[in-house]
Amino acid sequence: MMTAQPPVMTSALPDARGYFGEFGGRFVPETLVPALDELIAAFESARHDPAFQRRFADLQATYTGRPTPLTYAARLSDYLGGARIYLKREDLAHTGAHKINNALGQALLAERMGKRRIVAETGAGQHGVATATVCALLGMECHVYMGSVDMARQRPNVFRMKLLGAEVIPVESGSRTLKDAINEAIRDWVTNVTTTHYLLGSALGPHPYPLIVREFQSVIGVEARAQILAQAGRLPDACIACVGGGSNSIGLFHAFRDDEDVDLIGVEAGGRGIATGEHAARFADSARGRPGVLHGTRSFVLQDADGQITDTHSISAGLDYASVGPEHAYLRQIERAFYTVATDDEALAAFQLLSQLEGIIPALESAHAIAEAIKRAPTMPRDAILLINLSGRGDKDLDTVISALGGES
Amino acid sequence: MSQATRTQTGLDALAAMFARTRAEGRAAFLPYYPVGYPTVEASLEAIQAMAAVGVDGFEIGIPFSDPLADGPTIQAATQVALRNGVTVRRCLEAVRELRARGVHQPMLLMGYLNPVLAYGPDAFARDARAAGADGLIIPDLPPEEADLLAAACAREGLALIFFLAPTSTDARIRLVAERTRGFIYVVSVTGVTGARAALPPGLGDFLARVRAQTDCPRVVGFGISGPEQARAMSGLAEGFIVGSALVRAGGQGVGTVRDLAAQIKAAIGRK
Ligand SMILES: Cc1ncc(COP(=O)(O)O)c(C=O)c1O
């Protein structure tokens, strides 16, 4: 068993300039530099402030509903006939996804900085809902930018945000998805920076966001690691999570970073297949996925030969993004984590299988992680363990799934 | 009309420009215009026409898919440019073409970082200079991330312009003043590009705060849209940039751009 703590490998990163190796940094218009400095200062002081930590922990327990359970997926494991599959149930967190962990933490930071106007972007709508929720909780003003394509495919979440008192602003530029929503949110932030906090929803963007989001999401892995030790008596052979911007995955991986025998596997959106070009697989598409700078950070970016950002496709709005958090680019480079893809069809099949065998309807994003487990478990012995992050629930996706399945199922 | 020929390049060309405008007791007028809007040829003609009315220099816009420091006017224009097939290479060719057509004023290439990285910082600086450009302005590149490009520009004698904004602290002002090469781009407002009706009230104080830290020329941009604001700039700063208003005019035809540039030019005094 793992007893001695091996030397800390990644938690010393990012460095003071926000770099994970050659990835990360802070590529923003000058107007935003002081706001990022202020955010770093607020985060560092909050981190060492027991009162802040107590308040955060208390809300996590009494409002978010943490710890979320770890569920042994007995029927799915039997059906696949290989490794035993455990599900970390972020779908059971308040608002139905892991996004609330980060939204709550950042909203408390905004309060600490005296900023009561919040802007956010959202793809699947889960981050927007989580942000609208914490703004309602703390009495803050909330504006959420969302691509009009995503508004159409995540209608229930648009309604939820409005019900929670947020303004939802449709974004009509570019591909009208997550990337364009981030552009608009940043433009709003640049304009209103003295009164406004940008509550970025994933482990991407300029330093310190990748650090802050990881720290607020790392509760997933901290809980899951203790739970699997308690329930299975040992660490898993692999942790698997879907990777959009990379927050639920980094949140799971971080606690296992020094457990060298635990494989860390991220699953990108394979869309209609890598060969079709219609996907959001920054790592898997070696032609278009290259290091570059988008939204303030240097990471892998889907781009054409001229450095223009290319359109992406995924059946899941939350994975439909042209870049990926810089720490993932680093973990992949040092071969601590490995990245694979699941296609739309594989995610849809996983969505149905988990619903039928476990009575759990996963978010389409999370279904990508399940799809990898479906491929991998049968190749593993029965005493092997896979720990899957079930990052969210699938209610928001019913429209999409109904039309994708053409009324079957 | 100014018949000056191009005897200096890069940083020297900018220094000569400021020496002349200072001698004339006025601010330098630098239009921004993107290559490819509404077509490549029309953009070249617009820039030529502005050169002919005697503007002092140019920012030549390189379009990018995700222009997050730009407001609706420049966003829309640069998306048109991309649909017209404009690439970084095409922008460099445009500069070469403009030089061939007799545009002698300093030209700074303005674009977002990723296309420059994709081209390769060293190759970009080399080819920009060879094409006849005098420097670079990259809004998503703060000085602490700029080492690679700064070295490439220094090798080629090119300007590399950094920004200050109303949110900048005195420490940032000192850092930017130390690292910028050519001038300091002073963003007039917290916000994105776009024509605005009036200059922001705090601008004079902010410019004075910058002056207290550095002698570097200050060029004000974002939101300056017409002759009135331009006239006000001559007492306040060493130069100013007009973007969205000229781009909007460009959508109506070369004549409209020329007229607006001529009005602004007339407002700031003699040629
Ligand atoms: C349920 C769920 N899982 C995963 C994601 C992907 O984001 P990330 O990679 O940041 O976890 C989203 C994003 O909206 C989501 O809603």
Side-chain angles (χ1 to χ4, degrees):
Chain A
M1 283 305 333
M2 321 284 303
T3 43
Q5 279 287 327
V8 172
M9 188 172 53
T10 63
S11 59
L13 296 178
D15 66 19
R17 296 173 58 229
Y19 276 88
F20 304 88
E22 63 179 271
F23 301 106
R26 209 164 73 155
F27 297 86
V28 294
E30 186 66 29
T31 310
L32 295 179
V33 169
L36 294 172
D37 285 342
E38 183 188 9
L39 185 57
I40 292 170
F43 178 66
E44 288 306 328
S45 80
R47 210 180 204 184
H48 300 109
D49 177 359
F52 181 94
Q53 295 302 336
R54 246 190 334 269
R55 176 136 183 262
F56 186 39
D58 183 57
L59 284 170
Q60 284 184 318
T62 63
Y63 189 71
T64 308
R66 302 211 72 90
T68 59
L70 184 73
T71 301
Y72 174 51
R75 294 192 67 220
L76 179 66
S77 302
D78 289 348
Y79 173 86
L80 295 173
R84 286 174 293 152
I85 296 172
Y86 286 80
L87 305 172
K88 178 60 175 166
R89 300 292 305 281
E90 293 301 295
D91 61 317
L92 294 178
H94 181 43
T95 70
H98 70 292
K99 297 286 180 184
I100 189 89
N101 302 326
N102 167 55
L104 183 59
Q106 280 196 48
L108 292 175
L109 282 183
E111 192 176 61
R112 199 178 172 87
M113 293 185 290
K115 292 184 169 180
R116 304 202 65 85
R117 181 177 182 274
I118 301 292
V119 294
E121 82 296 339
T122 198
Q126 286 304 125
H127 174 58
V129 166
T131 304
T133 297
V134 297
C135 285
L137 176 71
L138 300 175
M140 292 173 159
E141 180 186 333
C142 181
H143 306 268
V144 180
Y145 291 89
M146 188 171 192
S148 59
V149 167
D150 291 339
M151 285 179 76
R153 60 177 161 173
Q154 309 277 223
R155 270 185 312 153
N157 275 345
V158 174
F159 186 67
R160 286 165 84 197
M161 285 184 271
K162 290 181 176 167
L163 199 60
L164 291 160
E167 182 196 15
V168 182
I169 304 144
V171 175
E172 300 291 351
S173 56
S175 54
R176 291 172 288 149
T177 57
L178 182 56
K179 159 176 94 69
D180 312 285
I182 296 178
N183 288 339
E184 277 309 317
I186 292 177
R187 290 183 186 116
D188 181 316
W189 192 33
V190 170
T191 306
N192 301 296
V193 63
T194 51
T195 59
T196 298
H197 174 64
Y198 177 24
L199 209 160
L200 182 52
S202 194
L204 44 88
H207 179 60
Y209 283 104
L211 165 66
I212 288 180
V213 176
R214 179 189 78 198
E215 292 301 301
F216 288 143
Q217 291 293 2
S218 63
V219 64
I220 300 171
V222 169
E223 288 176 5
R225 192 173 182 282
Q227 288 166 324
I228 196 87
L229 286 173
Q231 291 180 33
R234 68 175 186 85
L235 291 172
D237 296 273
C239 292
I240 303 177
C242 66
V243 185
S247 69
N248 87 85
S249 46
I250 208 73
L252 178 66
F253 293 174
H254 194 61
F256 294 92
R257 64 194 180 279
D258 298 328
D259 299 322
E260 282 168 36
D261 295 334
V262 179
D263 290 340
L264 305 177
I265 296 152
V267 186
E268 298 185 282
R272 300 193 173 98
I274 302 304
T276 67
E278 295 180 46
H279 58 74
R282 292 79 30 129
F283 293 135
D285 184 340
S286 53
R288 286 191 298 140
R290 299 192 310 275
V293 169
L294 178 65
H295 295 146
T297 190
R298 184 169 190 277
S299 185
F300 271 67
V301 182
L302 286 167
Q303 54 188 310
D304 68 14
D306 197 43
Q308 307 296 340
I309 310 308
T310 52
D311 286 351
T312 51
H313 162 81
S314 170
I315 193 168
S316 66
L319 305 185
D320 199 349
Y321 180 61
S323 186
V324 59
E327 190 165 5
H328 288 288
Y330 173 73
L331 291 175
R332 175 172 178 268
Q333 187 179 55
I334 64 168
E335 298 187 359
R336 177 62 191 97
F338 298 89
Y339 296 82
T340 177
V341 294
T343 63
D344 289 352
D345 288 345
E346 289 166 342
L348 274 170
F351 181 95
Q352 294 171 86
L353 194 66
L354 192 72
S355 301
Q356 287 157 13
L357 293 181
E358 297 293 341
I360 297 170
I361 301 174
L364 277 173
E365 290 79 13
S366 323
H368 286 70
I370 303 294
E372 176 62 19
I374 292 172
K375 290 179 207 171
R376 194 173 282 252
T379 70
M380 300 172 80
R382 203 59 231 234
D383 60 357
I385 296 175
L386 290 177
L387 172 51
I388 316 296
N389 199 12
L390 199 75
S391 56
R393 55 190 288 163
D395 309 52
K396 69 185 177 61
D397 294 315
L398 296 183
D399 281 357
T400 303
V401 174
I402 289 165
S403 63
L405 298 179
E408 25 163 323
S409 177
Chain B
M1 193 189 105
S2 156
Q3 289 301 324
T5 48
R6 188 169 153 79
T7 52
Q8 282 146 323
T9 64
L11 277 168
D12 296 336
L14 275 181
M17 177 192 81
F18 285 119
R20 194 181 65 249
T21 54
R22 195 176 304 119
E24 295 178 3
R26 64 179 178 86
F29 167 28
L30 298 127
Y32 163 91
Y33 204 90
V35 176
Y37 178 73
T39 64
V40 172
E41 181 52 29
S43 64
L44 298 187
E45 286 172 12
I47 292 163
Q48 260 185 288
M50 291 190 278
V53 304
V55 306
D56 298 295
F58 289 99
E59 289 184 33
I60 305 294
I62 302 173
F64 180 49
S65 53
D66 294 85
L68 55 74
D70 284 303
T73 306
I74 292 176
Q75 277 179 51
T78 51
Q79 299 316 297
V80 169
L82 286 176
R83 279 199 296 278
N84 289 336
V86 172
T87 58
V88 172
R89 189 159 272 114
R90 186 73 192 82
C91 293
L92 295 173
E93 282 165 21
V95 170
R96 189 184 295 281
E97 176 77 30
L98 289 164
R99 291 291 181 222
R101 295 187 193 184
V103 174
H104 59 81
Q105 287 95 333
M107 281 195 256
L108 304 169
L109 289 161
M110 178 160 192
Y112 291 82
L113 183 59
N114 200 57
V116 173
L117 292 180
Y119 195 99
D122 290 333
F124 183 81
R126 184 193 63 218
D127 293 353
R129 179 189 149 102
D134 300 300
L136 311 183
I137 305 181
I138 304 195
D140 56 347
L141 185 68
E144 48 272 76
E145 299 288 359
D147 290 355
L148 225 65
L149 207 56
C153 287
R155 260 197 306 281
E156 302 293 339
L158 293 173
L160 180 60
I161 307 298
F162 295 121
F163 290 72
L164 285 172
T167 52
S168 300
T169 58
D170 286 351
R172 292 296 301 174
I173 294 174
R174 282 191 295 275
L175 178 74
V176 165
E178 184 191 308
R179 303 274 179 94
T180 201
R181 295 289 177 271
F183 59 81
I184 296 173
Y185 191 131
V186 177
V187 177
S188 67
V189 288
T190 57
V192 294
T193 60
R196 291 175 178 82
L199 291 174
L203 181 60
D205 290 347
F206 177 44
L207 286 164
R209 197 151 65 81
V210 176
R211 175 51 77 233
Q213 307 283 344
T214 174
D215 293 332
C216 187
R218 302 154 303 167
V219 174
V220 176
F222 285 34
I224 299 170
S225 57
E228 284 307 303
Q229 294 160 8
R231 187 174 298 120
M233 290 319 306
S234 268
L236 282 177
E238 286 66 49
F240 64 91
I241 293 158
V242 181
S244 300
L246 288 165
V247 172
R248 196 184 295 150
Q252 285 150 31
V254 172
T256 315
V257 188
R258 182 197 301 114
D259 292 349
L260 179 56
Q263 283 167 29
I264 293 171
K265 174 71 192 166
I268 56 173
R270 66 198 172 87
K271 288 177 188 169

